[in-house]
Amino acid sequence: MNPSFFRATSVIGALTLLLWPASLLAQQISTCPRSQGEAYLEANNVRARILNTGGLFYRGEPHVYEIPRGSGKHSLFAGSLWIAGQVGGNLRVAAASYSNNEFWAGPLDDGANPPVDCRTYDRVYSVYKTDIIDYETRGIATEDLRFWPTGLGAPTLDAESNLIDLSGQSFSLRAERLINLSAGERPALRGNQSVWWVMNDRGNYHNTTDSEPLGIEVHGLAFAAINPFSAIDNATLFQYRVLNKNAYPIREAYVGVFLDVDLGNFDDDYIGSDSVRGMGYVYNADDDDDGGLGYGRAPPALGILFLEGPIADIDLKDNDRDGLVDEPNERLRTTTFGSYPTPGIYHEPPLGIGYYDFMRGRWRDGSRFTVGGNGTDDSNPATNFVYSGDPVTGAFWSELNIDGRGTSSDPGDRRLVISSGPFSIEPGEEADFTFAIVWARGSDNLDSVTELRKAADLVRSAFEKGGWDSSRLYPPVVTQPGPSPAAALGYNFPEPFSDRTTIRYRVPNYANVRLAIFDALGREVQTLVNEPKEKGEYAIRFDGANLPSGVYFYKIDMGRATAMRSMLLIK
């Protein structure tokens, strides 16, 4: 690849079409209008605006990533999905930062062609776990539940709880296939609410990156879970499935997630990275996020990290840090973190090559990120993670210590990108990845960074242990693991229940056990057990006849081990 070639003008870029394979040119770009579908992910303590344009949170005001939900305070202004790779020896990119995203509503057909009219598919579907319970108990189905687009790839379980695969059917049959609720099919939800949409990068011209499309169809899934006692209540998760509909492989591909991180008041922020956790984050420059938009004293911190990156190419590296090299289905993690907080070299990347370079750890002029200062001194070592020092301890290199002598950056408006790559997608194959946005608030601005790391670890642990699966309202999470085995907290039965339900638990060793019930606001409503217990299996009845309908949590404490589950009371 010749980088200077890709930095040529759009006229020169257009001339390169003469050199491309005819089969690639045969695929038509449509003239789809900008997608208008949206929904709100708001099952837990976050309210986030979800769009089907490749962007997140912002498509013109209002921008919405409100946390705590109902507070009127927002921690993010905008987000966007970036994807780039080599197709037929040419760089192709689908990316943007704000409104002019390069994805349009709808799938690609079996010939990689976009819909004639993308408006047919211009919709974002939102289903709550309680929607399914309402259907099963009262026969009432919301519109999004009734029209859940199973045939387009919306994850669906059959009556035996198996994922439905319609890949062998023709495109026309798939496109028309909706969920069959009466046959026992159900959306394969994750957490308490799942939001799903389908989009493609061939619906119109790529005017932001000045690139030819990759020829990809993308399925987006945003989800959240309720837990008022845990960082999971302040987290949102996003899973993307990228299908290569071209006759050519996509090589040397990278995926990136852009965030304009307005943490309350937008002009007093710092950013940083944690290469061990693969997390980029934003925190307040001092302990007072002032102004009408600000969080006030003890402002929070927000982070983003890949929980699961794409499957890595064979590269002789231990990409998932499990001690094995190039094992089957080895997953990448976050491979690059960059930011561009001020104009000049940090500014938004120009054209497709700029987006591609940024995801590979290069500034808009093609130079590598380097350690120290503003990350541009090529006499310093190259790095893939800018501002990777610890601001809590004052260690070099953070925005509180950019030179090793305690010099701070000027606070301001910040933008960041986390990336993962390289990877490949063969013709007819797919790649998937999942990232999480986490949030925490400590006793001051730097303690919020410490709490954010704990939140990221908890969210990753819950995800890797199968959390947010479709069978439960909320997965079990050990919030204070100790050296001894944690309490085994079983599911309640029946679930949901109308008055009484039985909770089972296991005590691995003699311990003082406390089992209590809490409402959705975190208020304790009943103590079921509070006494020493010998090793063994136990069951206890909970009577909710005098309580209102809603989600409740049962929590067990046993020394340093703590676990919790949720249950639903319906009357």
Side-chain angles (χ1 to χ4, degrees), residues 5 9-20:
F5 173 79
T9 65
S10 59
V11 174
I12 296 175
L15 292 177
T16 65
L17 294 175
L18 299 175
L19 305 176
W20 290 9

Side-chain angles (χ1 to χ4, degrees), residues 172-498:
S172 59
L173 290 176
R174 293 198 308 270
E176 296 174 358
R177 170 77 149 82
L178 299 178
I179 194 168
N180 189 342
L181 295 172
S182 61
E185 294 177 0
R186 300 290 183 267
L189 298 191
R190 307 196 74 176
N192 292 76
Q193 181 193 9
S194 287
V195 176
W196 187 89
W197 66 101
V198 58
M199 56 191 182
N200 71 86
D201 83 324
R202 297 192 62 85
N204 212 314
Y205 292 92
H206 290 207
N207 294 322
T208 296
T209 62
D210 196 25
S211 166
E212 287 295 309
L214 290 130
I216 54 176
E217 175 179 315
V218 180
H219 300 176
L221 181 71
F223 51 101
I226 298 171
N227 185 342
F229 306 97
S230 154
I232 287 174
D233 206 45
N234 298 322
T236 53
L237 279 71
F238 301 82
Q239 181 183 60
Y240 287 89
R241 179 185 176 206
V242 182
L243 293 77
N244 179 11
K245 293 297 188 78
N246 268 319
Y248 288 80
I250 302 173
R251 303 292 192 202
E252 294 294 315
Y254 284 78
V255 59
V257 184
F258 160 86
L259 292 179
D260 183 334
V261 285
D262 291 358
L263 190 67
N265 179 14
F266 70 91
D267 63 358
D268 60 352
D269 293 340
Y270 280 158
I271 55 94
S273 65
D274 186 326
S275 60
V276 174
R277 291 175 172 83
M279 179 171 66
Y281 58 91
V282 57
Y283 59 104
N284 212 68
D286 59 30
D287 197 35
D288 186 9
D289 186 30
D290 56 5
L293 300 175
Y295 281 95
R297 291 288 182 181
L302 177 142
I304 179 172
L305 66 158
F306 281 104
L307 299 176
E308 233 180 23
I311 295 176
D313 291 335
I314 301 298
D315 57 6
L316 303 180
K317 297 179 181 178
D318 180 16
N319 292 288
D320 55 5
R321 303 180 185 180
D322 64 351
L324 301 175
V325 174
D326 290 334
E327 70 268 26
N329 298 319
E330 181 183 32
R331 292 277 185 173
L332 293 164
R333 301 183 71 177
T334 304
T335 55
T336 306
F337 168 80
S339 71
Y340 42 96
T342 59
I345 195 169
Y346 298 97
H347 201 264
E348 186 171 350
L351 306 182
I353 183 61
Y355 288 86
Y356 189 56
D357 275 352
F358 203 83
M359 288 188 283
R360 299 187 304 143
R362 291 164 171 80
W363 299 115
R364 64 180 291 162
D365 65 352
S367 61
R368 285 295 310 272
F369 299 166
T370 57
V371 175
N374 62 9
T376 62
D377 186 347
D378 59 11
S379 65
N380 290 335
T383 182
N384 281 342
F385 287 83
V386 303
Y387 300 120
S388 55
D390 187 352
V392 177
T393 63
F396 174 77
W397 169 49
S398 74
E399 289 212 72
L400 284 171
N401 185 4
I402 62 173
D403 56 3
R405 297 187 295 272
T407 304
S408 300
S409 300
D410 292 332
D413 194 7
R414 297 293 192 259
R415 295 148 181 82
L416 62 83
V417 179
I418 63 164
S419 308
S420 188
F423 61 97
S424 300
I425 317 178
E426 299 299 320
E429 299 296 326
E430 64 185 60
D432 66 272
F433 50 91
T434 303
F435 65 89
I437 298 174
V438 294
W439 186 95
R441 194 167 192 174
S443 59
D444 58 44
N445 61 319
L446 295 182
D447 187 52
S448 291
V449 175
T450 299
E451 293 301 315
L452 183 71
R453 293 172 181 145
K454 297 176 184 177
D457 291 345
L458 188 148
V459 169
R460 180 180 293 281
S461 175
F463 179 82
E464 291 176 349
K465 292 176 182 177
W468 291 275
D469 65 30
S470 62
S471 63
R472 299 295 303 169
L473 278 169
Y474 176 70
V477 174
V478 176
T479 56
Q480 293 176 287
S484 61
L489 188 59
Y491 294 124
N492 63 298
F493 182 83
E495 167 65 10
F497 64 102
S498 59

